[in-house]
Amino acid sequence: MVGLLAFAVASFQLNPSFTSEAVRDYKTRADAGDAEAQYLYSCALVTRKATSKDFSQAFVYAKKAADQGYERAFLRVGRGYEQGWGVESNAVKATAYYSRFLPWAIKAAEQGDANAQLDLWGVYSNGDGVTRDEAEAIKWLRKAAERGHAGAQLCLGFSYALGDGVEQSYKEAAKWFRKAAAQGDAWAQCRLGEMHKDGNGDKKDEIEAVKWFRKAAEQGMELAQCNLGTMYYYGVGGLRKDETEAVKWWQKAAKQKNMLAQYALGVMYANGKGVGKNEVEAANWYRKAAEQGCALAQNNLGVMYQFGKGVEKDETEAVKWFRKAAERDCVPAQYNLGLGYANGIGIEQNEIEAVKWWQKAAKQKNMLAQYALGVMYANGKGVGKNEVEAANWYRKAAEQGYALAQNNLGLMYQFGKGVEKDEIKAIQWFKKAVEQWDLKACMNLFWFTLIRYWIVSVIFLVLVCGGLFTLLIKWTRKRKMCEAG
């Protein structure tokens, strides 16, 4: 994990400003032959949203800097050759560049160069030309952090938060994030905001969380912009609930390809919250998030295709997106995919596959899937008929308040199917469903009550009428005896 963390921040070793204006300046100077600018531009190209083309270009500029003898570029070029980042893998060349980098880095680090110290953290974390050594990696990272290097302070904070190379401690993590945040590091500000929001390392304080999210968001940090939008949406952290303001910040984050913000915008456009209702825009934002792997967006895009909302109706396309989301363990998508298989919508009908996907969703407490499994077990579709299992799944859904399951469970108790017959429990479950205005439950409760009490009423009437008839006969006989006398 430390190695991954080292790579994640490799682009920020020098704490350069990666604003659009700065990046343009780096490129201009880099193209003019400035070695440092070539190195900085290669760093700026490798972001969380980097494409293979970005990696290739980053390698080219790092190589140019290295060819001019810029020492820090040796490490990037070595990593490029070792990992195949932007160039074909070549272990021999990687070793050669590491060999050029290490003597310089160790000497510079021992002389107190914080950037070189941070470089060595990455080297020992990843095993770049050396044997991986977490203790040595943390030693150099701590030295850089104690010298005030914001990037090192950020990384040390992550190390403590994750328990990588050090004993896990949210309190220590918050301490180092705070130091980096005070220097204006947007990542540290965002992470500190998250810790305040969740109460990790510090007392939970949503107002403080909003403060740090805003600082990072105003620097253009997309994750913080997404978080700030969420705080406005729910009206927490001392903020008044403001869906329009939420949309504003989500739009900023979404334009920077933050998939959660893109998904959130899809929801807002679909429901006309904070923005005019627009199903075409909703589908557009769902698609952007879905293509980045957001399972909830993939499921919602599938729903849009299923019903032809914002896109042309296409049930086959709907199933495609349901499957993508379901395979990412998205519970609603697992239910929807099962429904497609059960009914042959957008895919060939296959009740066994339907049961398979509903079981996955049902185990994660999706009440629709639990009810559907009950139906399948009750009728022996896609699985062996088993009324005990049917009643079990109906109960799970019924206990979550699903009216159809409550009604069916009532029927199971009424007729003693899968459970011991119990008319009182049958009435109880019918009543729960009736409270939700389930029409089938209303009819079942009406007829069940009528039949149950009609029989009692008939018996009572028979007894009463029989008694009256007996009295009438006795009275008649007595009268005749009196008249005869």
Side-chain angles (χ1 to χ4, degrees):
M1 183 70 77
V2 177
L4 292 174
L5 182 58
F7 166 64
V9 297
S11 299
F12 304 97
Q13 295 175 140
L14 294 175
N15 266 349
S17 171
F18 287 153
T19 62
S20 298
E21 184 179 343
V23 172
R24 283 195 297 270
D25 177 61
Y26 296 151
K27 187 175 189 309
T28 299
R29 290 193 290 120
D31 289 340
D34 185 314
E36 182 183 35
Q38 289 167 343
Y39 173 75
L40 290 173
Y41 186 57
S42 75
C43 291
L45 286 169
V46 182
T47 66
R48 291 193 308 126
K49 308 295 182 181
T51 64
S52 57
K53 182 178 179 181
D54 294 325
F55 274 105
S56 297
Q57 212 177 356
F59 180 83
V60 169
Y61 278 92
K63 181 74 163 49
K64 287 181 178 182
D67 289 345
Q68 293 194 67
Y70 192 79
E71 293 90 347
R72 289 190 175 88
F74 295 155
L75 178 59
R76 292 187 72 81
V77 174
R79 282 177 177 160
Y81 277 123
E82 182 177 19
Q83 303 294 335
W85 292 334
V87 67
E88 186 176 348
S89 298
N90 189 315
V92 175
K93 289 185 178 180
T95 300
Y97 274 97
Y98 288 148
S99 297
R100 295 175 69 185
F101 170 77
L102 281 169
W104 169 83
I106 292 171
K107 182 178 179 180
E110 289 174 344
Q111 292 176 353
D113 185 324
N115 289 314
Q117 292 168 343
L118 184 59
D119 285 340
L120 285 179
W121 167 66
V123 166
Y124 283 106
S125 295
N126 293 316
D128 296 331
V130 298
T131 302
R132 288 187 73 244
D133 187 333
E134 287 189 350
E136 189 71 7
I138 291 295
K139 180 188 86 172
W140 289 112
L141 179 61
R142 191 179 301 280
K143 285 180 180 290
E146 290 172 347
R147 292 188 69 83
H149 191 297
Q153 291 167 341
L154 171 68
C155 294
L156 189 54
F158 273 117
S159 294
Y160 274 110
L162 298 170
D164 285 334
V166 293
E167 185 177 349
Q168 198 275 342
S169 171
Y170 285 128
K171 186 174 182 180
E172 278 295 300
K175 165 187 155 184
W176 288 106
F177 286 143
R178 187 172 287 105
K179 288 179 181 290
Q183 294 192 63
D185 186 284
W187 272 100
Q189 291 170 340
C190 182
R191 190 67 190 100
L192 191 58
E194 289 174 342
M195 295 190 81
H196 278 295
K197 179 176 69 70
D198 299 330
N200 292 330
D202 283 300
K203 180 180 178 182
K204 183 171 182 177
D205 187 339
E206 292 180 329
I207 293 176
E208 192 72 5
V210 166
K211 181 187 88 172
W212 288 110
F213 285 150
R214 191 179 301 281
K215 285 180 181 291
E218 289 173 348
Q219 290 194 67
M221 205 276 183
E222 39 93 4
L223 182 56
Q225 291 170 338
C226 182
N227 288 342
L228 187 56
T230 302
M231 301 297 268
Y232 270 112
Y233 179 78
Y234 289 107
V236 295
L239 299 176
R240 177 176 58 84
K241 181 177 173 68
D242 190 333
E243 293 174 346
T244 302
E245 193 70 9
V247 166
K248 169 188 140 181
W249 286 106
W250 282 335
Q251 285 174 330
K252 290 178 182 290
K255 287 175 182 177
Q256 296 188 69
K257 300 182 181 180
N258 182 286
M259 69 178 184
L260 294 180
Q262 292 171 337
Y263 166 72
L265 278 183
V267 173
M268 300 301 270
Y269 274 109
N271 296 284
K273 291 186 174 183
V275 69
K277 185 172 182 177
N278 187 325
E279 290 179 339
V280 173
E281 274 296 292
N284 175 51
W285 286 112
Y286 284 148
R287 188 184 309 282
K288 289 179 184 292
E291 288 173 348
Q292 290 197 70
C294 178
L296 289 173
Q298 290 170 339
N299 177 66
N300 285 19
L301 185 58
V303 172
M304 301 296 272
Y305 274 111
Q306 183 178 12
F307 297 104
K309 292 186 175 183
V311 292
E312 187 175 345
K313 184 173 181 177
D314 187 332
E315 292 172 340
T316 302
E317 189 73 4
V319 167
K320 180 187 93 172
W321 288 108
F322 288 149
R323 187 180 303 282
K324 286 179 182 289
E327 289 172 349
R328 287 178 174 271
D329 208 28
C330 176
V331 176
Q334 291 171 340
Y335 170 74
N336 287 334
L337 184 57
L339 201 61
Y341 273 116
N343 298 302
I345 299 174
I347 196 168
E348 186 177 351
Q349 187 177 31
N350 187 326
E351 291 175 340
I352 294 175
E353 276 293 300
V355 168
K356 166 187 146 183
W357 286 106
W358 281 338
Q359 284 175 330
K360 290 178 182 289
K363 287 175 182 177
Q364 297 184 72
K365 300 183 179 180
N366 181 282
M367 65 182 184
L368 298 179
Q370 291 171 339
Y371 168 73
L373 275 183
V375 173
M376 301 301 268
Y377 274 110
N379 295 283
K381 291 187 174 182
V383 68
K385 185 172 182 177
N386 188 326
E387 291 179 337
V388 173
E389 273 296 291
N392 175 53
W393 286 112
Y394 284 148
R395 185 185 311 282
K396 289 180 184 293
E399 288 173 348
Q400 292 194 68
Y402 192 46
L404 293 179
Q406 292 169 338
N407 175 65
N408 283 19
L409 186 57
L411 289 171
M412 303 294 273
Y413 274 112
Q414 181 182 355
F415 297 107
K417 291 186 175 182
V419 292
E420 187 176 344
K421 186 173 181 178
D422 189 327
E423 294 182 344
I424 293 176
K425 287 185 178 179
I427 290 174
Q428 288 174 344
W429 285 111
F430 286 146
K431 283 182 176 179
K432 286 181 181 292
V434 168
E435 288 171 0
Q436 300 185 63
W437 296 101
D438 183 80
L439 294 180
K440 286 186 177 180
C442 290
M443 293 300 296
N444 287 332
L445 182 60
F446 171 77
W447 286 111
F448 179 59
T449 305
L450 181 65
I451 292 171
R452 188 177 189 219
Y453 291 106
W454 177 77
I455 294 173
V456 173
S457 299
V458 168
I459 293 172
F460 176 76
L461 287 172
V462 168
L463 292 173
V464 170
C465 290
L468 290 174
F469 184 69
T470 301
L471 289 173
L472 180 60
I473 291 174
K474 287 181 178 180
W475 179 80
T476 303
R477 285 177 178 174
K478 188 175 181 180
R479 183 177 177 181
K480 284 182 178 180
M481 289 176 61
C482 291
E483 288 177 353

